[in-house]
Amino acid sequence: MLETFEIVAKAIADPSRVRILKLLASGELCVCQITTVLGLAPATISKHLSALKGAGLVQQRREGKWVHYRLADRPLNADAPRFLAVVADALSDCPTIAEDRRVLALVNRVPLQVLCDQGRSALDGMILNDDAGAAQPCCGRA
């Protein structure tokens, strides 16, 4: 039991992983969308998602070349629901989380294929005063 608790605790100990969980609270997202919001390399996002999945915090489904993630809706780890509840209640006034939500609203207006091909540059002209995150294609595109 202590081992499963530790796996979940370590998974949410990383700020980027908490940001991903907060993004997924709004619903299912493609790796392209998460990558674009956080402005991190696709390989980094995949590593974080793998840790969250291994902890039983998220689930995935594949649709063609896209992989979609959502918060776990079945208890793969007995401790996961409690940790998800803590994360859901936390950081309601965090500026980083608020900015992630704002960027996600813009990302949701861009087709997945465009995000996959262009990365964060697909948002050019949509976000003012934002130079974070270079365009890095995901979904196996180089």
Side-chain angles (χ1 to χ4, degrees), residues 55-116:
L57 296 166
V58 300
Q59 295 170 262
Q60 73 176 46
R61 73 174 177 86
R62 182 170 288 281
E63 182 179 326
K65 69 177 178 175
W66 290 289
V67 180
H68 300 270
Y69 284 85
R70 66 182 181 280
L71 295 178
D73 56 8
R74 60 183 189 268
L76 302 172
N77 177 326
D79 295 305
R82 290 188 292 263
F83 277 93
L84 286 173
V86 169
V87 171
D89 291 338
L91 303 169
S92 59
D93 59 348
C94 175
T96 300
I97 300 301
E99 178 64 8
D100 287 350
R101 286 186 185 128
R102 184 183 79 78
V103 174
L104 179 59
L106 298 172
V107 163
N108 285 334
R109 295 178 4 204
V110 179
L112 287 181
Q113 184 63 55
V114 174
L115 287 174
C116 183

Side-chain angles (χ1 to χ4, degrees), residues 3-14 17 55 57 77 79 83:
E3 292 83 14
T4 59
F5 180 89
E6 181 182 14
I7 290 169
V8 180
K10 283 183 177 181
I12 68 163
D14 184 282
R17 293 181 192 146
L57 296 166
N77 177 326
D79 295 305
F83 277 93

Side-chain angles (χ1 to χ4, degrees), residues 10-60:
K10 283 183 177 181
I12 68 163
D14 184 282
S16 294
R17 293 181 192 146
V18 172
R19 290 173 68 193
I20 290 169
L21 291 173
K22 295 298 276 186
L23 288 172
L24 293 174
S26 66
E28 184 178 78
L29 295 172
C30 176
V31 174
C32 299
Q33 294 167 305
I34 298 167
T35 300
T36 303
V37 172
L38 270 59
L40 298 173
T44 302
I45 295 297
S46 292
K47 181 185 83 164
H48 288 311
L49 288 166
S50 179
L52 293 170
K53 183 180 173 194
L57 296 166
V58 300
Q59 295 170 262
Q60 73 176 46

